[in-house]
Every structure is written in structure tokens, then in C-alpha cells.
Amino acid sequence: MATAEEIMRHAQEINAAREVALAPLAGLVADRKTLRDEFEKTEEPYGRAYVAAQVAGWTAEELKGLGAEEPKRRPKGRPRTTNKTTTPKNSAPATAEAVPKNASASDATSPGKLLQ
């Protein structure tokens, strides 16, 4: 039967081997964090330069062909374009007033009856 000292020595050997295996990973984790931080510092100036190139006449496709990807972050203050759909000005909202006068009150709450 193993003594407590033998068990502790064996555990220390196991942990020592684990620490040796972890050392390269620990170094790479630190390197990756440093590189991510450096990369983040380039995002805003990269976005400004990309937009400046487009303003000068370069298309997104041309820039992509040169290896310049569209930036993840746009320069501050530049509104993003959205595909908002708007209701036409002369369309009436769907309210109780839109129900035909010969319909009953229960018809106004029953969508199936409005379509008949």
C-alpha cells in the first residue's frame, strides 16, 4: 500500500508534466491577446482609410480585389444605411374605422370575416 508521501510525490509528478505541456499554450495565449489588442487599435483608422478610398472612387469590389476587406467598424458619426420599409403616405392604418359600416362589432375582431 502507498504511503501519503508517495501519493503526494506522484501527484506532483503528474502536475509537473501538465505544467510543462501548458507552457507553450500559456505563451501563445498571451501572444494572441497582444495581437488582438494591436489589431483592435487598427480598426478605426482602417475604417476611415477604407471610406476615404471609396470617396476617392474605389469600389468595394476593387478594394476587395486588392486585399482590403470591408471594415467591421465604420468611422464614428457615419450613419449606417438600412433597408427600412415605410408605409405609403396614403395608406390607412388597420383600425376599427376601416371595417365596413354594415359589419358588426364582432366582425371587426374576426380577421376571417373581414376577408369574406
Side-chain angles (χ1 to χ4, degrees):
M1 188 176 219
T3 66
E5 290 174 1
E6 291 171 335
I7 293 171
M8 291 302 296
R9 189 174 24 254
H10 183 64
Q12 289 171 345
E13 290 170 2
I14 292 171
N15 278 335
R18 292 173 65 191
E19 286 181 25
V20 168
L22 184 63
L25 179 62
L28 290 169
V29 167
D31 290 347
R32 287 169 55 108
K33 181 177 181 343
T34 300
L35 290 170
R36 274 194 196 108
D37 292 345
E38 290 298 314
F39 180 77
E40 286 296 316
K41 289 178 187 176
T42 68
E43 284 296 298
E44 190 175 335
Y46 179 82
R48 284 193 307 268
Y50 188 93
V51 170
Q54 285 184 314
V55 169
W58 290 91
T59 66
E61 192 164 308
E62 290 170 327
L63 292 170
K64 185 177 180 181
L66 295 171
E69 297 176 4
E70 188 167 350
K72 303 286 186 245
R73 291 188 207 159
R74 292 292 188 167
K76 291 180 182 177
R78 180 173 183 243
R80 290 187 175 256
T81 58
T82 57
N83 293 333
K84 292 182 180 178
T85 56
T86 57
T87 307
K89 292 180 182 178
N90 53 354
S91 70
T95 62
E97 290 99 29
V99 177
K101 292 187 181 194
N102 60 352
S104 68
S106 64
D107 290 345
T109 59
S110 176
K113 292 195 176 195
L114 288 175
L115 296 176
Q116 294 177 348

